[in-house]
Amino acid sequence: MRQDEQPRQEPTAAEAARSIIRSALKASLATLESGTGFPYASLVTVAFLPDGTPLLLLSRLALHTRNLQADHRASLLFDASDGAGDPLAGGRVTVIGSMKPVTSDEIVRRRFLARHPGAGMYVDFSDFGFWQLAVERAHYIGGFGRIVDLKAAELLSNLSEAHELIAAEAEIVEHMNDDHADAVQLYATRLAGAAPGAWRISGVDPAGFDLVNGERAVRIEFANPVINPDHARAEFVRMAKAARAGAT
């Protein structure tokens, strides 16, 4: 480390939990089995609203959906322990709340399909519909001895002043992917430390942005809050300069 460099600060539990959640493409869904009350765990793909609210695309023919129709209580386990020699030493987050069906919403559809383009083959089937988890709290485990309970406000972004950004999100994402693909690759490889690939931005929100590449996703946080397109442009320019300079 150079003398003028500052040591990296360890992320807070909330920051680490948000990173694990927003970098996930899948999660374990726990519901209560209708009729018996037994816990039932299943695997689901996940996306997120701009504030970080988890989104699922479920078939009403699936057992977990029938369970949710009878009892909306649910939890999602996000597991980031794949790279740990001992999985129990890795990070994971259990998010607890109530799962509710989502009425037709273009943002929900666009954000889910941007993260899971393969879902385009069945998203319009009559038995499929979107659900979202109304987050109440979370339980973060960052390895042995680091266990923290988190409130919903510590996981979700405040969108109260970001109406301009949310309205322009689709245009911003398209512009970055189509006109600044080289910068997008640098964000993923140099700022997020990901392997090279066909990285694309899937969503932008006040706290940061999400990138996907097939079976992988990464999350990059903004250094400054972003509430409109001009703020987003300034942050993307700043981060591109940092990436080209080899900053990590």
Side-chain angles (χ1 to χ4, degrees), residues 146-176:
R146 194 180 189 202
I147 303 173
V148 181
D149 288 318
L150 299 169
K151 299 177 182 179
E154 296 178 273
L155 294 181
L156 303 178
S157 299
N158 184 351
L159 303 182
S160 61
E161 297 182 354
H163 303 297
E164 291 182 54
L165 177 70
I166 303 307
E169 183 198 15
E171 182 179 347
I172 293 170
V173 169
E174 181 179 12
H175 171 69
M176 291 301 300

Side-chain angles (χ1 to χ4, degrees), residues 21 41 63 66 77 80 82 98 104 106 128 180 190 196:
I21 292 168
L63 179 56
R66 299 201 300 271
L77 170 63
D82 285 350
S98 297
S104 179
E106 180 58 33
F128 276 86
H180 299 286
R190 294 195 179 179

Side-chain angles (χ1 to χ4, degrees), residues 17-77:
R18 290 195 300 268
S19 177
I20 290 173
I21 292 168
R22 296 293 285 261
S23 297
L25 291 172
K26 62 182 179 179
S28 296
L29 169 65
T31 57
L32 297 174
E33 190 175 56
S34 179
T36 71
F38 280 109
Y40 174 76
S42 55
L43 184 67
V44 292
T45 52
V46 292
F48 305 95
L49 287 174
D51 69 350
T53 295
L55 296 172
L56 310 181
L57 177 60
L58 305 178
S59 167
R60 67 170 179 268
L61 303 179
L63 179 56
H64 51 223
T65 309
R66 299 201 300 271
N67 293 342
L68 290 171
Q69 289 170 336
D71 190 325
H72 286 176
R73 290 177 295 174
S75 62
L76 289 168
L77 170 63

Side-chain angles (χ1 to χ4, degrees), residues 11-246:
T12 66
E15 290 170 341
R18 290 195 300 268
S19 177
I20 290 173
I21 292 168
R22 296 293 285 261
S23 297
L25 291 172
K26 62 182 179 179
S28 296
L29 169 65
T31 57
L32 297 174
E33 190 175 56
S34 179
T36 71
F38 280 109
Y40 174 76
S42 55
L43 184 67
V44 292
T45 52
V46 292
F48 305 95
L49 287 174
D51 69 350
T53 295
L55 296 172
L56 310 181
L57 177 60
L58 305 178
S59 167
R60 67 170 179 268
L61 303 179
L63 179 56
H64 51 223
T65 309
R66 299 201 300 271
N67 293 342
L68 290 171
Q69 289 170 336
D71 190 325
H72 286 176
R73 290 177 295 174
S75 62
L76 289 168
L77 170 63
F78 297 90
D79 177 11
S81 65
D82 285 350
D86 180 352
L88 294 182
R92 61 264 197 200
V93 189
T94 299
V95 184
I96 301 164
S98 297
M99 197 73 72
K100 304 291 179 64
V102 180
T103 56
S104 179
D105 190 322
E106 180 58 33
I107 291 179
V108 169
R109 181 187 178 93
R110 171 171 53 77
R111 278 186 147 257
F112 195 93
L113 292 180
R115 205 167 180 86
H116 302 284
M121 294 187 297
Y122 52 83
V123 65
D124 292 320
F125 287 2
S126 60
D127 60 298
F128 276 86
F130 290 106
W131 292 68
Q132 68 181 54
L133 183 68
V135 178
E136 294 185 8
R137 56 192 171 90
H139 188 69
Y140 165 72
I141 301 177
F144 297 111
R146 194 180 189 202
I147 303 173
V148 181
D149 288 318
L150 299 169
K151 299 177 182 179
E154 296 178 273
L155 294 181
L156 303 178
S157 299
N158 184 351
L159 303 182
S160 61
E161 297 182 354
H163 303 297
E164 291 182 54
L165 177 70
I166 303 307
E169 183 198 15
E171 182 179 347
I172 293 170
V173 169
E174 181 179 12
H175 171 69
M176 291 301 300
N177 288 330
D178 291 348
D179 298 338
H180 299 286
D182 56 338
V184 172
Q185 304 310 311
L186 290 176
Y187 299 150
T189 56
R190 294 195 179 179
L191 299 185
W199 289 99
R200 294 178 63 81
I201 294 177
S202 64
V204 179
D205 58 78
F209 60 105
D210 304 310
L211 301 102
V212 293
N213 172 23
E215 298 178 354
R216 287 211 59 199
V218 294
R219 170 74 175 177
I220 297 178
E221 297 285 310
F222 289 132
N224 304 295
V226 166
I227 62 173
N228 59 47
D230 288 339
H231 287 173
R233 185 179 302 108
E235 273 295 281
F236 279 126
V237 169
R238 182 192 65 78
M239 297 176 90
K241 290 178 179 178
R244 290 189 174 98

